[in-house]
Amino acid sequence: MKWQGRRKSENLEDRRGMSSGGKTIVGGGIIGIVILLLNVFGGENAQMLTPILEQMNQGSQSAPTEQRDLTAKEKEEQEFINAILVDNEDVWTKIFKENNMTYEKPKLILFSGAVQTACGNATSDSGPFYCPGDQKVYMDLTFFEELKTRFGAQGGDFATAYVIAHEIGHHVQTLLGTSAKMREMQQGKSKAEANKLSVALELQADFYAGVWTHYNQKMNNILEDGDLDEALSAAHAVGDDAIQSKMQGHIVPESFTHGTSEQRKYWFMKGYKTGDIKQGNTFAELR
């Protein structure tokens, strides 16, 4: 992926040089895996985890605050994440302007281990997520090693770009009112029906990641050989069916909250091929 030479975003905050002071959540072992499976590419579903996370936090221990300099590798990672954030800012500002709207830029927080958010406390086991309460994307970059080693994704820089674009897709949904409307639609529904709406929301975020790729390719010619394969491999790895099959040996479709591997790949590619934000009505197509 071609990403060098971008301006510096004012909306990137790198907290990896400091530990999380105060209480931290114990996220290892089986509990950590459960949180990861529930919240991978968490988006709006991060809110639903808040009671679980807070309950776990009651039994946590305090940790002293420490600060250190970032390593050379971490500084390079920061530059890359900054470039992806900048490209998202530019693309979505353009798309919103084309539709007579104003884009409000989200913050992106890099952290290590644990972090406090308006959606509750979380650890790296939660995976990358967007918190609508403070309109921030939270990421521990160790997740991407998990994506390769535990879930069999190909990895690569564009896999990371896809994940960030997906999470910012949830921010777009917040700005457009889609997320709030989805939560209203979930009221009074059975768990299975509510899960279908959650799937639609997540697939739309994948679609928006594809739209971002379409625009960014036209604006910055970012794609190199294999980049789309990296994104599709990541999308496949985090499909509900792929995760359930790997972790429990069977799949339970009515419990899906993010969509199958094929659905996630389809909607990402639809966004990429069309570049048309108006063609992402995943809610209508899932009925």
Side-chain angles (χ1 to χ4, degrees):
M1 176 183 175
K2 303 172 187 176
W3 58 269
Q4 289 81 3
R6 303 294 193 270
R7 63 175 170 83
K8 186 171 180 61
S9 174
E10 298 178 350
N11 297 303
L12 176 61
E13 183 179 341
D14 196 338
R15 300 181 186 174
R16 292 177 297 168
M18 60 187 73
S19 65
S20 299
K23 291 184 176 181
T24 57
I25 298 173
V26 180
I30 297 298
I31 292 178
I33 293 174
V34 170
I35 293 177
L36 176 62
L37 297 184
L38 285 173
N39 201 39
V40 65
F41 292 19
E44 294 294 319
N45 291 326
Q47 286 189 319
M48 289 183 270
L49 283 181
T50 300
I52 300 175
L53 297 175
E54 293 294 346
Q55 183 178 3
M56 293 172 62
N57 197 36
Q58 292 175 5
S60 62
Q61 298 180 352
S62 296
T65 301
E66 298 179 356
Q67 192 163 355
R68 62 170 175 79
D69 293 333
L70 297 178
T71 66
K73 179 182 178 183
E74 287 173 332
K75 290 178 180 178
E76 182 178 0
E77 290 172 339
Q78 183 189 85
E79 291 180 6
F80 171 66
I81 299 300
N82 173 79
I84 303 306
L85 179 59
V86 164
D87 285 356
N88 272 275
E89 290 174 347
D90 291 347
V91 164
W92 285 109
T93 296
K94 178 178 176 62
I95 293 175
F96 270 56
K97 186 176 181 179
E98 290 174 349
N99 290 275
N100 300 312
M101 297 181 292
T102 300
Y103 180 64
E104 300 174 17
K105 301 172 184 176
K107 300 283 187 179
L108 193 155
I109 311 298
L110 295 177
F111 71 95
S112 296
V115 67
Q116 296 180 353
T117 83
C119 297
N121 293 349
T123 70
S124 55
D125 290 313
S126 300
F129 64 94
Y130 170 74
C131 174
D134 53 24
Q135 297 193 4
K136 295 178 181 179
V137 173
Y138 294 88
M139 299 181 68
D140 185 327
L141 295 181
T142 59
F143 165 79
F144 295 99
E145 190 61 33
E146 290 273 318
L147 201 59
K148 289 192 294 183
T149 58
R150 183 178 292 177
F151 299 108
Q154 180 178 330
D157 55 8
F158 202 73
T160 304
Y162 155 66
V163 173
I164 294 173
H166 172 99
E167 297 306 336
I168 291 179
H170 284 304
H171 177 64
V172 171
Q173 291 169 324
T174 295
L175 296 181
L176 295 179
T178 309
S179 302
K181 184 177 180 180
M182 186 276 291
R183 288 193 293 271
E184 290 179 3
M185 293 169 63
Q186 285 181 320
Q187 299 300 316
K189 295 287 195 302
S190 67
K191 185 175 181 179
E193 289 299 317
N195 284 345
K196 287 182 180 180
L197 292 170
S198 176
V199 167
L201 194 76
E202 295 296 331
L203 294 181
Q204 189 178 70
D206 282 331
F207 172 81
Y208 288 156
V211 170
W212 168 77
T213 304
H214 174 96
Y215 269 75
N216 205 14
Q217 175 64 6
K218 292 180 67 175
M219 294 167 60
N220 297 312
N221 191 30
I222 59 166
L223 293 176
E224 297 179 311
D225 289 344
D227 281 345
L228 288 179
D229 289 338
E230 291 174 3
L232 292 173
S233 177
H236 179 89
V238 294
D240 284 320
D241 52 342
I243 291 176
Q244 289 188 1
S245 179
K246 180 176 289 290
M247 301 306 298
Q248 63 190 32
H250 63 280
I251 62 174
V252 184
E254 58 269 24
S255 69
F256 289 174
T257 57
H258 290 67
T260 67
S261 296
E262 290 305 313
Q263 286 175 318
R264 302 197 72 161
K265 292 189 293 184
Y266 168 79
W267 281 104
F268 171 80
M269 287 305 298
K270 183 173 182 179
Y272 172 65
K273 291 177 179 178
T274 66
D276 183 358
I277 192 174
K278 297 177 182 178
Q279 295 194 39
N281 189 352
T282 53
F283 294 88
E285 295 205 19
L286 281 179
R287 292 174 183 171

PDB file of all heavy atoms in Angstrom, residues 15 31 58 66 82 92-93 95 103 119 122 139 142 161 165 169 176 178 194 199 217 220 252 261:
ATOM      1  N   ARG A  15      -1.244   6.432  22.842  1.00  0.00           N
ATOM      2  CA  ARG A  15      -1.059   6.240  24.285  1.00  0.00           C
ATOM      3  C   ARG A  15      -0.178   5.034  24.597  1.00  0.00           C
ATOM      4  O   ARG A  15      -0.105   4.604  25.752  1.00  0.00           O
ATOM      5  CB  ARG A  15      -2.417   6.059  24.967  1.00  0.00           C
ATOM      6  CG  ARG A  15      -3.367   7.232  24.800  1.00  0.00           C
ATOM      7  CD  ARG A  15      -4.677   6.966  25.523  1.00  0.00           C
ATOM      8  NE  ARG A  15      -5.667   8.010  25.264  1.00  0.00           N
ATOM      9  CZ  ARG A  15      -6.933   7.960  25.684  1.00  0.00           C
ATOM     10  NH1 ARG A  15      -7.341   6.896  26.383  1.00  0.00           N
ATOM     11  NH2 ARG A  15      -7.766   8.946  25.394  1.00  0.00           N
ATOM     12  N   ILE A  31     -11.884 -15.803  29.183  1.00  0.00           N
ATOM     13  CA  ILE A  31     -12.680 -14.570  29.194  1.00  0.00           C
ATOM     14  C   ILE A  31     -12.211 -13.639  28.100  1.00  0.00           C
ATOM     15  O   ILE A  31     -13.008 -13.030  27.386  1.00  0.00           O
ATOM     16  CB  ILE A  31     -12.600 -13.884  30.565  1.00  0.00           C
ATOM     17  CG1 ILE A  31     -13.315 -14.737  31.612  1.00  0.00           C
ATOM     18  CG2 ILE A  31     -13.215 -12.491  30.523  1.00  0.00           C
ATOM     19  CD1 ILE A  31     -13.264 -14.172  33.009  1.00  0.00           C
ATOM     20  N   GLN A  58     -14.534  -4.809  38.263  1.00  0.00           N
ATOM     21  CA  GLN A  58     -14.683  -4.742  39.708  1.00  0.00           C
ATOM     22  C   GLN A  58     -13.649  -5.602  40.411  1.00  0.00           C
ATOM     23  O   GLN A  58     -13.237  -5.300  41.518  1.00  0.00           O
ATOM     24  CB  GLN A  58     -16.088  -5.176  40.111  1.00  0.00           C
ATOM     25  CG  GLN A  58     -17.173  -4.191  39.659  1.00  0.00           C
ATOM     26  CD  GLN A  58     -18.557  -4.697  39.971  1.00  0.00           C
ATOM     27  OE1 GLN A  58     -18.725  -5.745  40.603  1.00  0.00           O
ATOM     28  NE2 GLN A  58     -19.575  -3.968  39.524  1.00  0.00           N
ATOM     29  N   GLU A  66       2.995   4.568  34.165  1.00  0.00           N
ATOM     30  CA  GLU A  66       4.371   4.673  33.725  1.00  0.00           C
ATOM     31  C   GLU A  66       4.388   5.242  32.316  1.00  0.00           C
ATOM     32  O   GLU A  66       3.430   5.112  31.565  1.00  0.00           O
ATOM     33  CB  GLU A  66       5.055   3.295  33.749  1.00  0.00           C
ATOM     34  CG  GLU A  66       5.137   2.674  35.128  1.00  0.00           C
ATOM     35  CD  GLU A  66       5.796   1.305  35.104  1.00  0.00           C
ATOM     36  OE1 GLU A  66       6.116   0.833  33.999  1.00  0.00           O
ATOM     37  OE2 GLU A  66       5.985   0.723  36.177  1.00  0.00           O
ATOM     38  N   ASN A  82      -1.418   7.100  11.092  1.00  0.00           N
ATOM     39  CA  ASN A  82      -1.738   8.486  10.789  1.00  0.00           C
ATOM     40  C   ASN A  82      -2.135   8.649   9.324  1.00  0.00           C
ATOM     41  O   ASN A  82      -3.099   9.347   9.001  1.00  0.00           O
ATOM     42  CB  ASN A  82      -0.532   9.377  11.101  1.00  0.00           C
ATOM     43  CG  ASN A  82      -0.733  10.811  10.660  1.00  0.00           C
ATOM     44  OD1 ASN A  82      -1.400  11.595  11.314  1.00  0.00           O
ATOM     45  ND2 ASN A  82      -0.151  11.177   9.517  1.00  0.00           N
ATOM     46  N   TRP A  92     -13.913  10.999   3.480  1.00  0.00           N
ATOM     47  CA  TRP A  92     -15.257  11.186   4.015  1.00  0.00           C
ATOM     48  C   TRP A  92     -15.667  12.658   4.037  1.00  0.00           C
ATOM     49  O   TRP A  92     -16.850  12.977   3.892  1.00  0.00           O
ATOM     50  CB  TRP A  92     -15.385  10.550   5.392  1.00  0.00           C
ATOM     51  CG  TRP A  92     -15.466   9.068   5.279  1.00  0.00           C
ATOM     52  CD1 TRP A  92     -14.529   8.156   5.634  1.00  0.00           C
ATOM     53  CD2 TRP A  92     -16.548   8.325   4.699  1.00  0.00           C
ATOM     54  NE1 TRP A  92     -14.953   6.878   5.329  1.00  0.00           N
ATOM     55  CE2 TRP A  92     -16.183   6.962   4.757  1.00  0.00           C
ATOM     56  CE3 TRP A  92     -17.769   8.675   4.143  1.00  0.00           C
ATOM     57  CZ2 TRP A  92     -17.016   5.952   4.273  1.00  0.00           C
ATOM     58  CZ3 TRP A  92     -18.602   7.665   3.669  1.00  0.00           C
ATOM     59  CH2 TRP A  92     -18.226   6.327   3.735  1.00  0.00           C
ATOM     60  N   THR A  93     -14.700  13.552   4.158  1.00  0.00           N
ATOM     61  CA  THR A  93     -15.008  14.976   4.003  1.00  0.00           C
ATOM     62  C   THR A  93     -15.531  15.246   2.595  1.00  0.00           C
ATOM     63  O   THR A  93     -16.511  15.975   2.406  1.00  0.00           O
ATOM     64  CB  THR A  93     -13.762  15.840   4.277  1.00  0.00           C
ATOM     65  OG1 THR A  93     -13.370  15.683   5.653  1.00  0.00           O
ATOM     66  CG2 THR A  93     -14.040  17.309   4.008  1.00  0.00           C
ATOM     67  N   ILE A  95     -16.912  12.972   0.457  1.00  0.00           N
ATOM     68  CA  ILE A  95     -18.198  12.308   0.241  1.00  0.00           C
ATOM     69  C   ILE A  95     -19.336  13.091   0.900  1.00  0.00           C
ATOM     70  O   ILE A  95     -20.397  13.297   0.298  1.00  0.00           O
ATOM     71  CB  ILE A  95     -18.160  10.864   0.777  1.00  0.00           C
ATOM     72  CG1 ILE A  95     -17.198  10.013  -0.060  1.00  0.00           C
ATOM     73  CG2 ILE A  95     -19.563  10.241   0.767  1.00  0.00           C
ATOM     74  CD1 ILE A  95     -16.995   8.610   0.468  1.00  0.00           C
ATOM     75  N   TYR A 103     -18.743  16.649   7.411  1.00  0.00           N
ATOM     76  CA  TYR A 103     -18.167  15.499   8.095  1.00  0.00           C
ATOM     77  C   TYR A 103     -17.447  15.933   9.367  1.00  0.00           C
ATOM     78  O   TYR A 103     -16.596  16.822   9.343  1.00  0.00           O
ATOM     79  CB  TYR A 103     -17.184  14.785   7.172  1.00  0.00           C
ATOM     80  CG  TYR A 103     -16.526  13.562   7.784  1.00  0.00           C
ATOM     81  CD1 TYR A 103     -17.289  12.452   8.138  1.00  0.00           C
ATOM     82  CD2 TYR A 103     -15.142  13.515   7.999  1.00  0.00           C
ATOM     83  CE1 TYR A 103     -16.697  11.326   8.696  1.00  0.00           C
ATOM     84  CE2 TYR A 103     -14.543  12.393   8.537  1.00  0.00           C
ATOM     85  CZ  TYR A 103     -15.321  11.301   8.886  1.00  0.00           C
ATOM     86  OH  TYR A 103     -14.736  10.191   9.436  1.00  0.00           O
ATOM     87  N   CYS A 119     -17.573   4.175  26.530  1.00  0.00           N
ATOM     88  CA  CYS A 119     -18.366   2.941  26.451  1.00  0.00           C
ATOM     89  C   CYS A 119     -17.948   1.935  27.513  1.00  0.00           C
ATOM     90  O   CYS A 119     -18.360   0.782  27.477  1.00  0.00           O
ATOM     91  CB  CYS A 119     -18.225   2.319  25.060  1.00  0.00           C
ATOM     92  SG  CYS A 119     -18.870   3.346  23.731  1.00  0.00           S
ATOM     93  N   ALA A 122     -11.858  -1.268  28.473  1.00  0.00           N
ATOM     94  CA  ALA A 122     -11.629  -2.381  27.547  1.00  0.00           C
ATOM     95  C   ALA A 122     -10.160  -2.749  27.552  1.00  0.00           C
ATOM     96  O   ALA A 122      -9.300  -1.950  27.932  1.00  0.00           O
ATOM     97  CB  ALA A 122     -12.082  -2.001  26.138  1.00  0.00           C
ATOM     98  N   MET A 139      -7.708   1.208  19.254  1.00  0.00           N
ATOM     99  CA  MET A 139      -6.994   0.082  18.670  1.00  0.00           C
ATOM    100  C   MET A 139      -5.733  -0.242  19.466  1.00  0.00           C
ATOM    101  O   MET A 139      -4.960   0.648  19.806  1.00  0.00           O
ATOM    102  CB  MET A 139      -6.570   0.395  17.228  1.00  0.00           C
ATOM    103  CG  MET A 139      -7.681   0.686  16.272  1.00  0.00           C
ATOM    104  SD  MET A 139      -7.054   0.999  14.604  1.00  0.00           S
ATOM    105  CE  MET A 139      -6.450  -0.649  14.208  1.00  0.00           C
ATOM    106  N   THR A 142      -1.600  -5.010  18.601  1.00  0.00           N
ATOM    107  CA  THR A 142      -1.310  -6.438  18.752  1.00  0.00           C
ATOM    108  C   THR A 142      -2.448  -7.293  18.199  1.00  0.00           C
ATOM    109  O   THR A 142      -2.266  -8.483  17.939  1.00  0.00           O
ATOM    110  CB  THR A 142      -1.079  -6.799  20.230  1.00  0.00           C
ATOM    111  OG1 THR A 142      -2.250  -6.452  20.992  1.00  0.00           O
ATOM    112  CG2 THR A 142       0.121  -6.040  20.793  1.00  0.00           C
ATOM    113  N   ALA A 161      -5.525  -1.263   7.170  1.00  0.00           N
ATOM    114  CA  ALA A 161      -6.284  -0.143   6.607  1.00  0.00           C
ATOM    115  C   ALA A 161      -7.769  -0.481   6.517  1.00  0.00           C
ATOM    116  O   ALA A 161      -8.631   0.365   6.801  1.00  0.00           O
ATOM    117  CB  ALA A 161      -5.744   0.202   5.222  1.00  0.00           C
ATOM    118  N   ALA A 165     -10.801   1.486   8.360  1.00  0.00           N
ATOM    119  CA  ALA A 165     -11.897   2.021   7.542  1.00  0.00           C
ATOM    120  C   ALA A 165     -13.241   1.465   7.991  1.00  0.00           C
ATOM    121  O   ALA A 165     -14.260   2.173   7.961  1.00  0.00           O
ATOM    122  CB  ALA A 165     -11.650   1.701   6.073  1.00  0.00           C
ATOM    123  N   GLY A 169     -16.248   3.548   9.465  1.00  0.00           N
ATOM    124  CA  GLY A 169     -17.574   3.348   8.891  1.00  0.00           C
ATOM    125  C   GLY A 169     -18.656   3.409   9.953  1.00  0.00           C
ATOM    126  O   GLY A 169     -19.756   3.923   9.716  1.00  0.00           O
ATOM    127  N   LEU A 176     -24.766   9.758  10.447  1.00  0.00           N
ATOM    128  CA  LEU A 176     -25.947   9.693   9.585  1.00  0.00           C
ATOM    129  C   LEU A 176     -27.213   9.290  10.345  1.00  0.00           C
ATOM    130  O   LEU A 176     -28.311   9.321   9.781  1.00  0.00           O
ATOM    131  CB  LEU A 176     -25.705   8.713   8.439  1.00  0.00           C
ATOM    132  CG  LEU A 176     -24.605   9.088   7.439  1.00  0.00           C
ATOM    133  CD1 LEU A 176     -24.457   8.002   6.378  1.00  0.00           C
ATOM    134  CD2 LEU A 176     -24.895  10.436   6.784  1.00  0.00           C
ATOM    135  N   THR A 178     -27.831   6.283  11.428  1.00  0.00           N
ATOM    136  CA  THR A 178     -28.148   4.876  11.167  1.00  0.00           C
ATOM    137  C   THR A 178     -28.052   4.037  12.430  1.00  0.00           C
ATOM    138  O   THR A 178     -28.893   3.172  12.684  1.00  0.00           O
ATOM    139  CB  THR A 178     -27.207   4.302  10.103  1.00  0.00           C
ATOM    140  OG1 THR A 178     -27.188   5.158   8.962  1.00  0.00           O
ATOM    141  CG2 THR A 178     -27.641   2.911   9.679  1.00  0.00           C
ATOM    142  N   ALA A 194     -32.850  -9.192  16.583  1.00  0.00           N
ATOM    143  CA  ALA A 194     -31.941  -8.101  16.940  1.00  0.00           C
ATOM    144  C   ALA A 194     -30.554  -8.361  16.372  1.00  0.00           C
ATOM    145  O   ALA A 194     -29.863  -7.439  15.917  1.00  0.00           O
ATOM    146  CB  ALA A 194     -31.869  -7.934  18.456  1.00  0.00           C
ATOM    147  N   VAL A 199     -26.042  -7.514  12.340  1.00  0.00           N
ATOM    148  CA  VAL A 199     -25.312  -7.975  11.154  1.00  0.00           C
ATOM    149  C   VAL A 199     -25.376  -6.922  10.053  1.00  0.00           C
ATOM    150  O   VAL A 199     -24.374  -6.603   9.404  1.00  0.00           O
ATOM    151  CB  VAL A 199     -25.874  -9.319  10.652  1.00  0.00           C
ATOM    152  CG1 VAL A 199     -25.344  -9.645   9.254  1.00  0.00           C
ATOM    153  CG2 VAL A 199     -25.509 -10.444  11.617  1.00  0.00           C
ATOM    154  N   GLN A 217      -8.358   5.204  -3.791  1.00  0.00           N
ATOM    155  CA  GLN A 217      -7.605   4.765  -4.964  1.00  0.00           C
ATOM    156  C   GLN A 217      -7.630   5.829  -6.052  1.00  0.00           C
ATOM    157  O   GLN A 217      -6.615   6.113  -6.696  1.00  0.00           O
ATOM    158  CB  GLN A 217      -8.175   3.439  -5.489  1.00  0.00           C
ATOM    159  CG  GLN A 217      -7.545   2.932  -6.782  1.00  0.00           C
ATOM    160  CD  GLN A 217      -6.068   2.574  -6.648  1.00  0.00           C
ATOM    161  OE1 GLN A 217      -5.509   2.600  -5.554  1.00  0.00           O
ATOM    162  NE2 GLN A 217      -5.434   2.244  -7.767  1.00  0.00           N
ATOM    163  N   ASN A 220      -5.528   8.971  -4.446  1.00  0.00           N
ATOM    164  CA  ASN A 220      -4.116   8.801  -4.067  1.00  0.00           C
ATOM    165  C   ASN A 220      -3.421   7.601  -4.710  1.00  0.00           C
ATOM    166  O   ASN A 220      -2.230   7.400  -4.467  1.00  0.00           O
ATOM    167  CB  ASN A 220      -4.014   8.670  -2.537  1.00  0.00           C
ATOM    168  CG  ASN A 220      -4.474   9.910  -1.809  1.00  0.00           C
ATOM    169  OD1 ASN A 220      -4.069  11.016  -2.147  1.00  0.00           O
ATOM    170  ND2 ASN A 220      -5.349   9.736  -0.804  1.00  0.00           N
ATOM    171  N   VAL A 252     -23.677 -21.387  14.609  1.00  0.00           N
ATOM    172  CA  VAL A 252     -25.051 -21.131  15.055  1.00  0.00           C
ATOM    173  C   VAL A 252     -25.508 -19.848  14.370  1.00  0.00           C
ATOM    174  O   VAL A 252     -25.296 -18.745  14.891  1.00  0.00           O
ATOM    175  CB  VAL A 252     -25.125 -20.989  16.586  1.00  0.00           C
ATOM    176  CG1 VAL A 252     -26.583 -20.834  17.023  1.00  0.00           C
ATOM    177  CG2 VAL A 252     -24.468 -22.173  17.281  1.00  0.00           C
ATOM    178  N   SER A 261     -18.376 -14.803   6.508  1.00  0.00           N
ATOM    179  CA  SER A 261     -17.186 -14.408   5.756  1.00  0.00           C
ATOM    180  C   SER A 261     -17.554 -13.946   4.353  1.00  0.00           C
ATOM    181  O   SER A 261     -17.047 -12.919   3.866  1.00  0.00           O
ATOM    182  CB  SER A 261     -16.210 -15.590   5.670  1.00  0.00           C
ATOM    183  OG  SER A 261     -15.737 -15.960   6.949  1.00  0.00           O
TER     184      SER A 261
END
